[in-house]
Amino acid sequence: LLDPRRTSGADASDLQTDPLGPEASSNLRIDLGVEPSTGVGGQPRLLPQAACAPRGSYDIASWGPGISDKETPWKALAAARVALFDTLDAPRAQAARSLARLYTYLTFGVEAQAVLASLADPSPDSDRLAALARIVEAPDGGPMAGFDAMVACGPAPAMWALIAGTAPDTLGIDLNPVLLYFAGLPRHLRQHLGPRLADQLLDLGARDAALTVRNAIPTTPFGPPPALQLLAGRLAALGLRLAPRPELSTLSRSSSPEAAAALIAIVDQAETDGIPVAEDYVASARLMSFERAGTADAAPLKAAEVRGRLTRDEFAVALSTLRAAQSDDVIPAESVARLSHKI
């Protein structure tokens, strides 16, 4: 981090790159289904252009140039730190802000705030960046003032206003661009900011938009973190659930030999996401395991039925199904032991 005694100056440049890459639409697993909102008299509620900060001030998607989900960020961080001082060992305020942006992009909010706090001459750009760093560090830390006026300044500022909890409602916010902008964020930012954004949308009554956000949050091999589990519970309480990938849903209902694998994949996905499997998929697994008795598909399908019941908290039914399968020698003993442990 910077030594507060050595850094001063004020200047900033805003990155203007387009945040939406070619993968943006692929991160959305259901249709957006959200109509643009309007203000008084049916007209969009817009702010004067002078009231809106430059686009780069909120465009976190553009703050990690050259960094992908599969590449290490440490080389970029090292280069940004080397650029902090000129040949005379004088601090560069612009370089300090660039480093703070990179820290924020990587979700290192504390480090970004420390860099910005070391500037002797703060600027409005530094203040905005510090506010974003606070949100990134604690995305569920409660409402933060200063963002409500930016809801009509574009998708990125509107997203931050929603995450900050200061948007009074969704009137005046065209949610479609906001959802597309979120879908275009790198996976680590969607994982980090998505639960808070979806929670805020639920609080404002935008249920379809909240479900769209949840569908764009990638899962991890270690299962859903507590924030995603809580969000899944809120969505389920409202009768909303994640949609299985369309290709899997279609294949599972076909007469193809791969239908069994598609059903099992749907249950796997639900377990990873921490959400209940829809009853029709559980019923399909039960029926298909009967139809394919004596084949290699019977045991994994019966296990998928039991696992689907467990995601729905139907423990008694899952246990009776497992015992029946065990007595009929449908499921191998090791699979029975593994499923019994889950119950």
Side-chain angles (χ1 to χ4, degrees), residues 62-207:
S62 66
W63 294 352
I67 298 178
S68 71
D69 293 330
K70 298 181 180 180
E71 295 174 347
T72 177
W74 310 123
K75 185 179 295 185
L77 280 174
R81 291 179 62 85
V82 167
L84 282 177
F85 301 98
D86 60 23
T87 55
L88 300 177
D89 203 28
R92 297 188 179 101
Q94 179 177 336
R97 294 188 181 92
S98 295
L99 177 59
R101 287 190 179 97
L102 183 56
Y103 274 137
T104 304
Y105 173 88
L106 296 172
T107 71
F108 298 158
V110 169
E111 290 81 355
Q113 292 177 73
V115 169
L116 294 168
S118 67
L119 293 175
D121 300 316
S123 69
D125 187 64
S126 296
D127 294 339
R128 284 189 293 266
L129 182 52
L132 299 188
R134 288 195 297 274
I135 294 176
V136 165
E137 182 60 31
D140 56 350
M144 295 182 61
F147 287 91
D148 54 326
M150 306 302 293
V151 295
C153 290
M159 182 192 75
W160 288 112
L162 288 165
I163 295 174
T166 58
D169 50 46
T170 55
L171 294 177
I173 305 177
D174 185 353
L175 289 178
N176 283 331
V178 176
L179 297 176
L180 283 171
Y181 178 81
F182 174 79
L185 294 177
R187 64 183 292 118
H188 74 282
L189 288 174
R190 282 180 280 130
Q191 289 170 333
H192 190 71
L193 299 174
R196 175 64 171 173
L197 175 59
D199 276 336
Q200 292 299 318
L201 288 169
L202 282 178
D203 289 344
L204 295 173
R207 306 197 314 177

Side-chain angles (χ1 to χ4, degrees), residues 30-34 179 201-202 205-213 240:
I30 63 174
D31 292 334
L32 293 177
V34 181
L179 297 176
L201 288 169
L202 282 178
R207 306 197 314 177
D208 290 342
L211 184 59
T212 297
V213 169
L240 301 171

